Amino acid sequence: MVSRPASRRWRVGSVHGFAFASGQAATVTMMHTLKAGDHVVSIDDVYAGTQQYFTRIATPMGLNFTFCDMAAPGALEAAILPTTRLVWLETPTNPTMKITSIEAVAAAAHAVGALLVVDNTFASPYLQSPLALGADVVFHSVSKYIGGHSDLVMGALVTSDAALAVRLRHLQINMGATPSPFDCFLASRGLKTLALRMVAHSTNGAAVAAAVEAHPAVRKVLYPGLASHPSHAVATMQMRGGGGMMTFWLRGGLPAARAFLGALSVVTLAVSLGGVESLVEHPALMTHASLPPEVRAELGIDDGMVRLSVGIEDAADVVADITQALDAAKAVIDGGAPATAAPATGAVGAAAAPPKVTGVKRPHE
């Protein structure tokens, strides 16, 4: 998963691109292409900020939403209604790393005349080309891999549909959610090194994933480049590398997670991702704490889940840091001294102050 196939399917690019002041601004603008009464099918494990906007803001304004696991056979087809106008897909998803066939979802959406929007944030345009696989619009949180330096908040929508581009341009201008010139400069700077960084993220990600999977403190790890990923075959077909994102589950639940996070020294505890530095977070207490507990449980976001964004540091340094932190978690699992450090207070229960929090973006990012 490190080569770039010569097939045209990897070279189909967008004709029209639109930048926004944030990823949420891009999402809101896309939803304004719809009207009250229209129905949207979204993948169930959608980014928490998107889920909150869909359910708490767009729904009261008249849009209807159904959430389903699009990788499950027949689930998308069962969720589609006569009023379905748009399908929203993330692949890989945040934070459970679900991988779904873009081609299959595109076929189902287009069969009923619906548009397919693919959130490509975790893969980046370097590792995955949704338009070439049938998507109508690609969404990016530019704050993440495209920016790449944890100093930018921006979103983008890209498409090859000329008529849709006219509508998006009209909305972009008149809704006012455009980015500043300096943010555009930062995004341009990031794009210049995107290819180099994504190769490094993928190389380091593979090394870290292998080490995490082999550690006895870990119950399960999901990384697109691992053969153990349930959708590894799909990832191999539509991605050009494993990337730097992974999620794993510690055997000891929250006490083990506290021990792990408190023992890290190279990897930073922060809610963002996709930067040159390695970042880790606890979804149940941090990025996804706003989701109802029953929704988190249904998605598998439990107290032992840890999301890791592997940076481009020396791979040996990152592996060593994570390994010693996993050793600390295992000591708690085996009945050792409880951890004294913990992630920030969240919906799962009170916790001590985090061991270190630097460079943190907005919690919902």
Side-chain angles (χ1 to χ4, degrees), residues 26-35 37-43 50 54 63-67 70 76 79-89 105 108-110 112-119 136-137 139 157 164 167-168:
T27 300
V28 172
T29 301
M30 189 66 221
M31 290 299 111
H32 271 72
T33 64
L34 305 175
K35 65 182 185 302
D38 285 347
H39 178 249
V40 177
V41 181
S42 170
I43 192 164
T50 303
F54 285 174
L63 295 181
N64 302 304
F65 293 87
T66 298
F67 297 85
M70 297 183 191
L76 175 56
I80 289 174
L81 302 175
T83 54
T84 301
R85 299 292 178 264
L86 188 145
V87 174
W88 188 281
L89 172 66
V105 174
H110 295 160
V112 297
L115 294 176
L116 171 60
V117 179
V118 175
D119 183 336
D136 300 289
V137 181
F139 166 95
L157 297 172
L164 180 58
R167 298 172 67 192
L168 290 173

Side-chain angles (χ1 to χ4, degrees), residues 1-160:
M1 294 182 64
V2 295
S3 62
R4 292 178 65 86
S7 168
R8 183 177 179 275
R9 67 192 269 120
W10 304 117
R11 299 200 303 270
V12 176
S14 64
V15 179
H16 311 279
F18 304 92
F20 299 88
S22 68
Q24 287 295 88
T27 300
V28 172
T29 301
M30 189 66 221
M31 290 299 111
H32 271 72
T33 64
L34 305 175
K35 65 182 185 302
D38 285 347
H39 178 249
V40 177
V41 181
S42 170
I43 192 164
D44 54 356
D45 183 27
V46 70
Y47 163 60
T50 303
Q51 198 264 5
Q52 292 292 295
Y53 169 71
F54 285 174
T55 57
R56 297 189 180 184
I57 300 176
T59 296
M61 295 178 68
L63 295 181
N64 302 304
F65 293 87
T66 298
F67 297 85
C68 73
D69 181 359
M70 297 183 191
L76 175 56
E77 289 79 1
I80 289 174
L81 302 175
T83 54
T84 301
R85 299 292 178 264
L86 188 145
V87 174
W88 188 281
L89 172 66
E90 267 185 43
T91 181
T93 61
N94 178 10
T96 64
M97 300 302 295
K98 287 183 182 177
I99 296 171
T100 306
S101 169
I102 297 172
E103 287 184 317
V105 174
H110 295 160
V112 297
L115 294 176
L116 171 60
V117 179
V118 175
D119 183 336
N120 203 34
T121 298
F122 266 31
S124 86
Y126 184 81
L127 294 182
Q128 188 166 262
S129 303
L131 292 180
L133 298 169
D136 300 289
V137 181
V138 180
F139 166 95
H140 292 285
S141 175
V142 180
S143 316
K144 310 307 191 299
Y145 281 113
I146 293 177
H149 293 78
S150 301
D151 56 7
L152 168 67
V153 175
M154 185 185 286
L157 297 172
V158 297
T159 184
S160 294

Side-chain angles (χ1 to χ4, degrees), residues 1-2 92 97 122-124 127 145 197-209 223-225 239-246 308-311:
M1 294 182 64
V2 295
M97 300 302 295
F122 266 31
S124 86
L127 294 182
Y145 281 113
R197 288 186 286 107
M198 293 314 299
V199 170
H201 283 299
S202 296
T203 300
N204 287 3
V208 170
Y223 175 70
M239 297 178 68
R240 296 182 284 274
M245 296 303 304
M246 70 188 69
L308 181 62
S309 173
V310 181

